[in-house]
Amino acid sequence: MREKIDEIIEFLKSELAEDCSYYSGKVFGSMSSYPDDDVVRVFAEFIEKNAGDANIFAGTAKIENKVINLLGTFFNNPTAGGNCVSGGSEANVVGLWAARNFFKEKKNLPFLNEEYKIIVPETRHTSIAKAADLLNLKLVEVPVNNDFEVETKIVEEKISEKTIAIVGIAGNTVYGAIDNIEDLSIIALNNNCWLHVDAAFGGFAIPFLKNPPKFDFILEGVKSLVADPHKNLGSPIPNGCILFRDLDYSKHIIHHLPYFSGKKTENRTIIGTKSGAAIIATYYILNFKGIDWLKKRMKSAFENKDYLKQRLEELGFEVLGKAQLNVLAAKPPDNMRKRRNELFKKGWRIGKYGDLWRFVVMPTIRREYINELISVLEENC
Ligand code: 0PR
Protein backbone atom coordinates (compact mmCIF):
# COMPACT_ATOMS: atom_id res chain seq x y z
CA MET A 1 0.00 0.00 0.00
CA ARG A 2 2.82 2.35 0.97
CA GLU A 3 4.41 2.01 -2.48
CA LYS A 4 1.04 2.44 -4.03
CA ILE A 5 0.36 5.70 -2.21
CA ASP A 6 3.84 6.95 -3.14
CA GLU A 7 3.04 6.19 -6.74
CA ILE A 8 -0.31 7.93 -6.50
CA ILE A 9 1.28 10.97 -4.95
CA GLU A 10 3.75 11.14 -7.83
CA PHE A 11 0.81 10.87 -10.20
CA LEU A 12 -1.06 13.67 -8.37
CA LYS A 13 2.09 15.80 -8.58
CA SER A 14 2.14 15.29 -12.32
CA GLU A 15 -1.51 16.32 -12.50
CA LEU A 16 -0.59 19.49 -10.58
CA ALA A 17 2.47 20.23 -12.70
CA GLU A 18 1.04 23.45 -14.11
CA ASP A 19 0.68 24.99 -10.63
CA CYS A 20 3.23 27.56 -9.55
CA SER A 21 4.74 27.25 -6.11
CA TYR A 22 5.57 29.86 -3.50
CA TYR A 23 8.73 27.85 -2.84
CA SER A 24 9.95 28.70 -6.37
CA GLY A 25 10.49 32.35 -5.43
CA LYS A 26 8.75 33.44 -8.63
CA VAL A 27 5.37 34.39 -7.15
CA PHE A 28 5.12 38.16 -6.58
CA GLY A 29 1.40 38.50 -7.18
CA SER A 30 -0.19 36.78 -4.21
CA MET A 31 -1.10 37.64 -0.64
CA SER A 32 -0.56 34.02 0.37
CA SER A 33 2.69 32.16 0.98
CA TYR A 34 3.85 28.88 2.42
CA PRO A 35 3.72 28.28 6.18
CA ASP A 36 6.93 27.46 8.10
CA ASP A 37 7.68 23.74 8.55
CA ASP A 38 6.81 23.78 12.27
CA VAL A 39 3.44 25.37 11.45
CA VAL A 40 2.79 22.66 8.86
CA ARG A 41 3.62 20.07 11.53
CA VAL A 42 1.04 21.55 13.92
CA PHE A 43 -1.54 21.79 11.14
CA ALA A 44 -1.00 18.15 10.10
CA GLU A 45 -1.10 16.90 13.69
CA PHE A 46 -4.61 18.28 14.23
CA ILE A 47 -6.07 17.69 10.79
CA GLU A 48 -9.29 16.01 12.05
CA LYS A 49 -10.46 18.97 14.14
CA ASN A 50 -13.74 20.57 13.15
CA ALA A 51 -14.06 23.97 14.80
CA GLY A 52 -17.65 24.05 13.59
CA ASP A 53 -18.76 21.66 16.33
CA ALA A 54 -18.01 22.81 19.85
CA ASN A 55 -19.73 19.80 21.36
CA ILE A 56 -17.40 17.26 19.81
CA PHE A 57 -14.34 19.54 19.67
CA ALA A 58 -14.73 21.55 22.87
CA GLY A 59 -10.96 22.02 23.17
CA THR A 60 -10.73 23.37 19.62
CA ALA A 61 -13.56 25.80 20.37
CA LYS A 62 -11.61 27.05 23.39
CA ILE A 63 -8.53 27.56 21.24
CA GLU A 64 -10.61 29.55 18.75
CA ASN A 65 -11.66 31.79 21.65
CA LYS A 66 -8.04 32.12 22.73
CA VAL A 67 -7.08 33.22 19.21
CA ILE A 68 -9.82 35.85 19.32
CA ASN A 69 -8.66 37.01 22.78
CA LEU A 70 -5.03 37.24 21.65
CA LEU A 71 -6.07 39.20 18.58
CA GLY A 72 -8.34 41.43 20.62
CA THR A 73 -5.35 42.37 22.76
CA PHE A 74 -3.15 42.78 19.67
CA PHE A 75 -5.77 45.10 18.15
CA ASN A 76 -6.15 47.15 21.36
CA ASN A 77 -9.34 45.65 22.75
CA PRO A 78 -8.87 42.65 25.05
CA THR A 79 -12.64 42.25 25.39
CA ALA A 80 -13.32 41.97 21.65
CA GLY A 81 -15.40 39.00 20.50
CA GLY A 82 -15.55 37.22 17.17
CA ASN A 83 -14.71 34.15 15.16
CA CYS A 84 -12.17 32.52 12.95
CA VAL A 85 -13.62 32.03 9.48
CA SER A 86 -12.49 30.86 6.06
CA GLY A 87 -10.74 34.09 5.06
CA GLY A 88 -11.11 37.81 4.50
CA SER A 89 -14.07 37.48 2.13
CA GLU A 90 -16.20 35.64 4.64
CA ALA A 91 -15.01 37.90 7.45
CA ASN A 92 -16.10 41.00 5.50
CA VAL A 93 -19.50 39.49 4.75
CA VAL A 94 -20.01 38.49 8.41
CA GLY A 95 -18.97 41.95 9.68
CA LEU A 96 -21.35 43.75 7.34
CA TRP A 97 -24.10 41.21 7.96
CA ALA A 98 -23.86 41.99 11.69
CA ALA A 99 -23.86 45.74 10.92
CA ARG A 100 -26.97 45.40 8.75
CA ASN A 101 -28.91 43.36 11.30
CA PHE A 102 -27.81 45.62 14.15
CA PHE A 103 -29.13 48.61 12.20
CA LYS A 104 -32.40 46.81 11.44
CA GLU A 105 -32.96 45.97 15.11
CA LYS A 106 -31.93 49.42 16.31
CA LYS A 107 -34.33 51.14 13.92
CA ASN A 108 -36.95 48.47 14.43
CA LEU A 109 -37.35 47.94 10.70
CA PRO A 110 -39.16 44.79 9.56
CA PHE A 111 -37.07 44.60 6.37
CA LEU A 112 -34.59 46.67 4.43
CA ASN A 113 -34.88 47.51 0.77
CA GLU A 114 -31.95 48.14 -1.53
CA GLU A 115 -31.94 51.87 -0.70
CA TYR A 116 -29.89 51.08 2.40
CA LYS A 117 -26.23 51.47 1.79
CA ILE A 118 -22.65 50.99 2.80
CA ILE A 119 -20.12 53.71 2.02
CA VAL A 120 -16.83 52.29 0.81
CA PRO A 121 -13.60 53.48 -0.84
CA GLU A 122 -13.52 52.76 -4.56
CA THR A 123 -10.41 50.71 -3.83
CA ARG A 124 -12.40 48.16 -1.77
CA HIS A 125 -11.81 44.47 -2.25
CA THR A 126 -14.27 42.43 -4.32
CA SER A 127 -15.55 40.77 -1.15
CA ILE A 128 -17.08 44.08 -0.01
CA ALA A 129 -19.06 44.23 -3.26
CA LYS A 130 -20.06 40.60 -2.74
CA ALA A 131 -21.26 41.48 0.77
CA ALA A 132 -23.41 44.32 -0.58
CA ASP A 133 -24.87 42.00 -3.19
CA LEU A 134 -25.61 39.20 -0.71
CA LEU A 135 -27.03 41.55 1.91
CA ASN A 136 -29.13 43.53 -0.59
CA LEU A 137 -27.33 46.78 0.18
CA LYS A 138 -26.32 49.58 -2.13
CA LEU A 139 -22.59 50.07 -2.56
CA VAL A 140 -21.67 53.76 -2.51
CA GLU A 141 -18.12 54.11 -3.76
CA VAL A 142 -16.07 57.12 -2.71
CA PRO A 143 -13.01 58.31 -4.67
CA VAL A 144 -9.51 58.16 -3.25
CA ASN A 145 -6.78 60.83 -3.16
CA ASN A 146 -3.40 60.70 -4.92
CA ASP A 147 -2.13 58.29 -2.29
CA PHE A 148 -5.13 55.99 -2.87
CA GLU A 149 -6.65 56.78 0.54
CA VAL A 150 -10.38 57.42 0.71
CA GLU A 151 -11.54 61.06 0.58
CA THR A 152 -12.96 61.22 4.08
CA LYS A 153 -14.84 64.51 3.47
CA ILE A 154 -16.79 62.84 0.67
CA VAL A 155 -17.53 59.88 2.94
CA GLU A 156 -19.12 62.30 5.41
CA GLU A 157 -21.13 64.04 2.69
CA LYS A 158 -22.57 60.72 1.53
CA ILE A 159 -23.91 59.68 4.96
CA SER A 160 -27.67 59.64 5.35
CA GLU A 161 -30.25 57.97 7.58
CA LYS A 162 -30.02 55.01 5.20
CA THR A 163 -26.32 54.38 5.84
CA ILE A 164 -25.77 50.99 7.45
CA ALA A 165 -22.00 51.26 7.72
CA ILE A 166 -18.82 52.93 6.55
CA VAL A 167 -15.98 50.70 5.42
CA GLY A 168 -12.32 51.70 5.74
CA ILE A 169 -9.44 49.69 4.35
CA ALA A 170 -6.23 49.27 6.29
CA GLY A 171 -3.99 47.92 3.54
CA ASN A 172 -5.80 47.78 0.24
CA THR A 173 -5.33 45.01 -2.25
CA VAL A 174 -3.68 46.84 -5.13
CA TYR A 175 -1.75 49.77 -3.58
CA GLY A 176 -1.40 48.68 0.04
CA ALA A 177 -2.80 52.09 0.98
CA ILE A 178 -4.17 52.69 4.47
CA ASP A 179 -7.31 54.79 4.69
CA ASN A 180 -7.43 57.48 7.34
CA ILE A 181 -9.28 55.31 9.85
CA GLU A 182 -8.82 57.91 12.58
CA ASP A 183 -10.92 60.42 10.60
CA LEU A 184 -13.41 57.74 9.60
CA SER A 185 -13.81 56.84 13.27
CA ILE A 186 -14.65 60.44 14.18
CA ILE A 187 -17.11 60.64 11.28
CA ALA A 188 -18.72 57.35 12.34
CA LEU A 189 -19.08 58.49 15.96
CA ASN A 190 -20.49 61.90 14.99
CA ASN A 191 -23.06 60.27 12.74
CA ASN A 192 -23.84 57.31 14.98
CA CYS A 193 -22.72 54.95 12.27
CA TRP A 194 -20.97 51.55 12.26
CA LEU A 195 -17.34 51.58 11.06
CA HIS A 196 -16.02 48.32 9.62
CA VAL A 197 -12.27 48.06 9.00
CA ASP A 198 -10.93 45.67 6.39
CA ALA A 199 -7.42 44.94 7.65
CA ALA A 200 -7.34 41.50 6.01
CA PHE A 201 -3.90 42.24 4.59
CA GLY A 202 -2.71 45.13 6.79
CA GLY A 203 -3.75 43.80 10.19
CA PHE A 204 -0.54 41.91 10.82
CA ALA A 205 1.67 44.42 8.98
CA ILE A 206 0.64 47.97 9.96
CA PRO A 207 1.58 47.62 13.67
CA PHE A 208 5.21 47.07 12.57
CA LEU A 209 5.57 50.21 10.44
CA LYS A 210 7.96 52.86 11.78
CA ASN A 211 5.11 55.31 12.48
CA PRO A 212 2.01 53.16 12.40
CA PRO A 213 -1.28 54.97 11.90
CA LYS A 214 -4.14 54.06 14.23
CA PHE A 215 -6.52 51.68 12.54
CA ASP A 216 -7.95 49.29 15.13
CA PHE A 217 -10.17 49.24 18.24
CA ILE A 218 -8.11 51.96 19.87
CA LEU A 219 -10.39 54.16 17.78
CA GLU A 220 -13.83 54.25 19.44
CA GLY A 221 -15.76 54.30 16.16
CA VAL A 222 -14.43 50.93 14.97
CA LYS A 223 -17.14 48.33 15.55
CA SER A 224 -15.77 45.44 13.49
CA LEU A 225 -12.38 44.53 12.09
CA VAL A 226 -11.12 41.86 9.71
CA ALA A 227 -7.56 40.48 9.87
CA ASP A 228 -6.34 37.40 8.04
CA PRO A 229 -3.80 35.10 9.68
CA HIS A 230 -3.45 33.29 6.31
CA LYS A 231 -1.85 36.39 4.80
CA ASN A 232 1.05 38.16 6.57
CA LEU A 233 0.90 36.04 9.75
CA GLY A 234 1.89 32.94 7.78
CA SER A 235 -0.96 30.64 8.90
CA PRO A 236 -2.07 27.85 6.64
CA ILE A 237 -5.14 28.48 4.47
CA PRO A 238 -8.01 28.75 5.45
CA ASN A 239 -7.92 31.30 8.24
CA GLY A 240 -9.45 34.76 8.42
CA CYS A 241 -10.77 36.50 11.52
CA ILE A 242 -13.71 38.79 12.20
CA LEU A 243 -13.58 40.72 15.45
CA PHE A 244 -16.31 42.87 17.02
CA ARG A 245 -15.73 45.63 19.57
CA ASP A 246 -18.06 43.60 21.75
CA LEU A 247 -19.43 40.16 20.92
CA ASP A 248 -22.92 41.56 21.45
CA TYR A 249 -22.62 43.48 18.20
CA SER A 250 -22.96 40.17 16.39
CA LYS A 251 -25.94 38.83 18.33
CA HIS A 252 -28.40 39.55 15.53
CA ILE A 253 -26.72 37.11 13.16
CA ILE A 254 -26.91 34.12 15.51
CA HIS A 255 -28.34 30.96 14.01
CA HIS A 256 -28.77 27.73 15.95
CA LEU A 257 -27.83 24.23 14.94
CA PRO A 258 -30.50 22.38 16.96
CA TYR A 259 -29.57 18.87 15.80
CA PHE A 260 -26.11 19.10 17.44
CA SER A 261 -25.31 16.51 20.09
CA GLY A 262 -24.96 18.94 22.99
CA LYS A 263 -25.85 22.39 24.24
CA LYS A 264 -23.53 24.51 22.15
CA THR A 265 -25.66 25.19 19.07
CA GLU A 266 -24.94 28.86 18.50
CA ASN A 267 -23.30 29.91 15.23
CA ARG A 268 -22.28 33.40 14.08
CA THR A 269 -20.50 32.64 10.81
CA ILE A 270 -21.48 31.61 7.30
CA ILE A 271 -19.64 28.33 7.17
CA GLY A 272 -20.46 25.53 9.58
CA THR A 273 -17.74 22.89 9.36
CA LYS A 274 -14.39 24.64 9.49
CA SER A 275 -10.73 23.82 9.78
CA GLY A 276 -9.73 23.50 13.43
CA ALA A 277 -6.19 22.68 12.27
CA ALA A 278 -5.78 26.14 10.71
CA ILE A 279 -7.05 27.80 13.90
CA ILE A 280 -4.73 25.73 16.10
CA ALA A 281 -1.83 26.62 13.78
CA THR A 282 -2.72 30.32 14.18
CA TYR A 283 -2.80 29.84 17.96
CA TYR A 284 0.62 28.19 17.76
CA ILE A 285 2.03 31.16 15.81
CA LEU A 286 0.52 33.81 18.08
CA ASN A 287 1.24 32.11 21.36
CA PHE A 288 4.47 30.20 20.78
CA LYS A 289 6.30 31.82 17.86
CA GLY A 290 5.08 35.12 19.21
CA ILE A 291 4.90 38.78 18.30
CA ASP A 292 8.69 39.27 18.21
CA TRP A 293 8.87 36.58 15.55
CA LEU A 294 6.15 38.39 13.58
CA LYS A 295 7.95 41.71 14.02
CA LYS A 296 11.15 40.24 12.54
CA ARG A 297 9.18 38.65 9.73
CA MET A 298 7.52 41.93 8.76
CA LYS A 299 10.78 43.88 9.11
CA SER A 300 12.28 41.62 6.48
CA ALA A 301 9.21 42.00 4.24
CA PHE A 302 9.40 45.81 4.50
CA GLU A 303 13.15 45.87 3.81
CA ASN A 304 12.68 43.66 0.78
CA LYS A 305 9.81 45.85 -0.40
CA ASP A 306 12.07 48.93 -0.16
CA TYR A 307 14.81 47.09 -2.04
CA LEU A 308 12.42 45.96 -4.80
CA LYS A 309 11.07 49.52 -5.08
CA GLN A 310 14.56 50.91 -5.53
CA ARG A 311 15.50 48.27 -8.14
CA LEU A 312 12.24 48.81 -10.06
CA GLU A 313 12.77 52.56 -10.07
CA GLU A 314 16.28 52.05 -11.46
CA LEU A 315 14.62 50.19 -14.34
CA GLY A 316 12.26 53.10 -14.99
CA PHE A 317 9.15 51.86 -13.16
CA GLU A 318 7.08 54.50 -11.39
CA VAL A 319 5.93 53.22 -8.00
CA LEU A 320 2.63 54.80 -6.98
CA GLY A 321 1.37 56.03 -3.61
CA LYS A 322 3.18 55.97 -0.27
CA ALA A 323 4.25 52.33 -0.71
CA GLN A 324 4.31 51.84 3.05
CA LEU A 325 3.13 48.24 3.19
CA ASN A 326 4.56 45.23 1.40
CA VAL A 327 2.52 45.79 -1.79
CA LEU A 328 3.82 47.88 -4.67
CA ALA A 329 1.74 49.14 -7.60
CA ALA A 330 4.04 50.30 -10.39
CA LYS A 331 3.69 51.78 -13.86
CA PRO A 332 6.13 49.99 -16.15
CA PRO A 333 8.30 51.95 -18.60
CA ASP A 334 7.29 51.58 -22.27
CA ASN A 335 9.98 48.99 -23.01
CA MET A 336 8.59 46.69 -20.28
CA ARG A 337 4.87 46.92 -20.99
CA LYS A 338 4.61 43.75 -23.00
CA ARG A 339 7.07 41.77 -20.92
CA ARG A 340 4.64 40.64 -18.24
CA ASN A 341 3.28 37.97 -20.56
CA GLU A 342 6.79 36.76 -21.35
CA LEU A 343 7.53 36.57 -17.65
CA PHE A 344 4.25 34.73 -17.12
CA LYS A 345 5.27 32.09 -19.64
CA LYS A 346 8.54 31.64 -17.75
CA GLY A 347 6.66 30.92 -14.52
CA TRP A 348 6.79 34.37 -12.90
CA ARG A 349 3.56 35.58 -11.36
CA ILE A 350 3.23 39.34 -11.07
CA GLY A 351 -0.15 40.97 -10.48
CA LYS A 352 -1.82 43.21 -13.04
CA TYR A 353 -4.30 46.02 -12.51
CA GLY A 354 -5.08 47.85 -15.73
CA ASP A 355 -1.71 49.12 -16.92
CA LEU A 356 -0.13 48.67 -13.52
CA TRP A 357 2.02 45.83 -12.32
CA ARG A 358 1.37 44.74 -8.76
CA PHE A 359 4.07 43.19 -6.59
CA VAL A 360 3.25 41.65 -3.21
CA VAL A 361 6.41 41.17 -1.17
CA MET A 362 5.31 38.44 1.21
CA PRO A 363 7.59 37.75 4.19
CA THR A 364 8.70 34.50 2.51
CA ILE A 365 10.17 36.46 -0.44
CA ARG A 366 13.95 36.42 -0.16
CA ARG A 367 16.45 38.97 -1.44
CA GLU A 368 17.81 36.50 -4.00
CA TYR A 369 14.34 36.08 -5.53
CA ILE A 370 14.19 39.84 -6.08
CA ASN A 371 17.67 39.85 -7.62
CA GLU A 372 16.61 37.04 -9.93
CA LEU A 373 13.45 38.90 -10.95
CA ILE A 374 15.39 42.09 -11.65
CA SER A 375 18.00 40.28 -13.70
CA VAL A 376 15.23 38.71 -15.81
CA LEU A 377 13.68 42.15 -16.28
CA GLU A 378 17.07 43.58 -17.26
CA GLU A 379 17.48 41.01 -20.05
CA ASN A 380 16.68 42.61 -23.39
CA CYS A 381 15.95 45.84 -21.56
N1 0PR B 1 -9.76 42.28 1.93
C1 0PR B 1 -8.60 42.64 1.33
C2 0PR B 1 -8.08 44.02 1.52
C3 0PR B 1 -7.92 41.71 0.53
O1 0PR B 1 -6.80 42.08 -0.10
C4 0PR B 1 -8.45 40.40 0.40
C5 0PR B 1 -7.74 39.35 -0.42
C6 0PR B 1 -9.64 40.07 1.05
C7 0PR B 1 -10.27 41.04 1.82
C8 0PR B 1 -10.27 38.72 0.93
O2 0PR B 1 -9.48 37.73 1.49
P1 0PR B 1 -9.65 36.18 1.11
O3 0PR B 1 -9.02 35.97 -0.23
O4 0PR B 1 -8.93 35.51 2.23
O5 0PR B 1 -11.09 35.87 1.10
N2 0PR B 1 -6.93 39.77 -1.39
C9 0PR B 1 -6.22 38.88 -2.28
C10 0PR B 1 -6.46 39.38 -3.70
O6 0PR B 1 -7.61 39.49 -4.13
C11 0PR B 1 -6.64 37.43 -2.18
C12 0PR B 1 -5.71 36.55 -2.93
C13 0PR B 1 -4.70 35.87 -2.23
C14 0PR B 1 -5.80 36.39 -4.28
C15 0PR B 1 -3.83 35.08 -2.91
C16 0PR B 1 -4.90 35.62 -4.99
C17 0PR B 1 -3.91 34.97 -4.28
O7 0PR B 1 -2.99 34.21 -4.94
O8 0PR B 1 -5.48 39.65 -4.36
Side-chain angles (χ1 to χ4, degrees):
M1 186 58 201
R2 171 128 199 100
E3 265 167 38
K4 186 100 185 126
I5 189 72
D6 286 346
E7 253 174 56
I8 293 170
I9 284 177
E10 284 317 306
F11 172 72
L12 290 173
K13 281 186 184 165
S14 72
E15 287 209 300
L16 295 167
E18 65 190 308
D19 281 5
C20 296
S21 166
Y22 298 120
Y23 294 100
S24 71
K26 289 183 166 182
V27 179
F28 281 77
S30 174
M31 289 180 162
S32 302
S33 59
Y34 55 82
D36 283 358
D37 290 348
D38 51 343
V39 178
V40 174
R41 165 96 207 277
V42 172
F43 184 79
E45 183 73 37
F46 300 109
I47 200 75
E48 72 155 336
K49 308 292 186 186
N50 172 13
D53 189 334
N55 290 299
I56 297 175
F57 297 103
T60 303
K62 279 191 187 141
I63 288 196
E64 178 174 357
N65 281 336
K66 284 186 184 175
V67 167
I68 297 300
N69 290 340
L70 286 165
L71 292 185
T73 302
F74 185 68
F75 294 121
N76 289 301
N77 177 12
T79 58
N83 278 105
C84 296
V85 293
S86 56
S89 297
E90 187 188 355
N92 276 327
V93 175
V94 171
L96 292 168
W97 180 22
R100 188 197 68 172
N101 287 7
F102 181 83
F103 181 93
K104 219 167 87 177
E105 290 292 325
K106 192 175 74 176
K107 305 262 169 164
N108 201 14
L109 296 167
F111 68 92
L112 296 175
N113 60 31
E114 67 281 358
E115 285 168 24
Y116 290 88
K117 52 197 178 193
I118 48 176
I119 301 175
V120 309
E122 62 182 354
T123 47
R124 86 286 179 294
H125 185 255
T126 316
S127 54
I128 301 287
K130 288 183 188 172
D133 191 0
L134 287 164
L135 297 167
N136 198 27
L137 299 172
K138 193 172 167 201
L139 197 66
V140 177
E141 294 189 314
V142 172
V144 292
N145 64 20
N146 289 341
D147 286 322
F148 308 99
E149 296 158 4
V150 72
E151 292 280 10
T152 52
K153 277 209 178 92
I154 304 183
V155 170
E156 186 150 35
E157 281 161 22
K158 298 272 181 198
I159 292 179
S160 74
E161 76 284 358
K162 298 224 160 134
T163 304
I164 301 275
I166 299 169
V167 175
I169 315 174
N172 75 42
T173 312
V174 174
Y175 308 95
I178 307 164
D179 288 330
N180 187 335
I181 309 293
E182 214 164 337
D183 275 6
L184 291 180
S185 170
I186 294 167
I187 292 169
L189 290 173
N190 288 344
N191 291 279
N192 200 12
C193 196
W194 183 297
L195 174 58
H196 172 83
V197 176
D198 179 357
F201 183 75
F204 295 108
I206 296 169
F208 306 108
L209 290 172
K210 285 213 177 81
N211 293 304
K214 291 182 182 148
F215 73 101
D216 62 18
F217 291 112
I218 203 156
L219 303 169
E220 278 300 311
V222 177
K223 297 290 183 288
S224 51
L225 179 137
V226 167
D228 279 359
H230 71 195
K231 294 192 168 71
N232 281 311
L233 189 68
S235 293
I237 299 168
N239 201 202
C241 287
I242 172 72
L243 298 176
F244 295 97
R245 172 166 290 280
D246 185 297
L247 189 60
D248 245 23
Y249 279 114
S250 63
K251 72 178 174 203
H252 303 304
I253 60 168
I254 294 174
H255 284 258
H256 287 279
L257 303 156
Y259 39 83
F260 266 21
S261 60
K263 283 189 188 152
K264 295 174 182 162
T265 69
E266 197 178 283
N267 189 267
R268 299 175 195 236
T269 58
I270 294 173
I271 46 170
T273 302
K274 61 181 180 184
S275 169
I279 295 170
I280 296 163
T282 294
Y283 177 63
Y284 166 73
I285 296 173
L286 290 169
N287 206 38
F288 296 97
K289 287 171 89 76
I291 299 306
D292 283 345
W293 170 83
L294 177 59
K295 192 175 178 178
K296 235 163 92 190
R297 183 176 154 88
M298 290 317 301
K299 184 170 178 273
S300 138
F302 292 150
E303 282 169 2
N304 281 333
K305 176 267 294 177
D306 289 338
Y307 178 69
L308 175 62
K309 178 171 182 283
Q310 178 210 323
R311 298 297 307 267
L312 288 172
E313 284 171 348
E314 283 163 12
L315 288 178
F317 281 81
E318 183 196 346
V319 174
L320 305 180
K322 290 182 184 162
Q324 283 175 289
L325 292 182
N326 45 326
V327 185
L328 298 175
K331 231 183 243 171
D334 286 343
N335 60 341
M336 292 278 173
R337 264 177 211 291
K338 294 206 175 108
R339 302 217 42 217
R340 231 190 106 265
N341 286 347
E342 267 171 57
L343 289 170
F344 190 92
K345 282 186 201 139
K346 289 182 183 163
W348 294 87
R349 291 293 178 271
I350 296 163
K352 186 175 180 296
Y353 184 68
D355 283 346
L356 300 179
W357 294 18
R358 168 179 170 262
F359 301 85
V360 186
V361 187
M362 290 305 285
T364 44
I365 295 278
R366 296 208 285 255
R367 193 60 66 104
E368 70 245 37
Y369 304 161
I370 297 174
N371 287 335
E372 179 65 24
L373 171 67
I374 296 297
S375 69
V376 177
L377 285 172
E378 274 168 343
E379 282 167 24
N380 316 314
C381 193

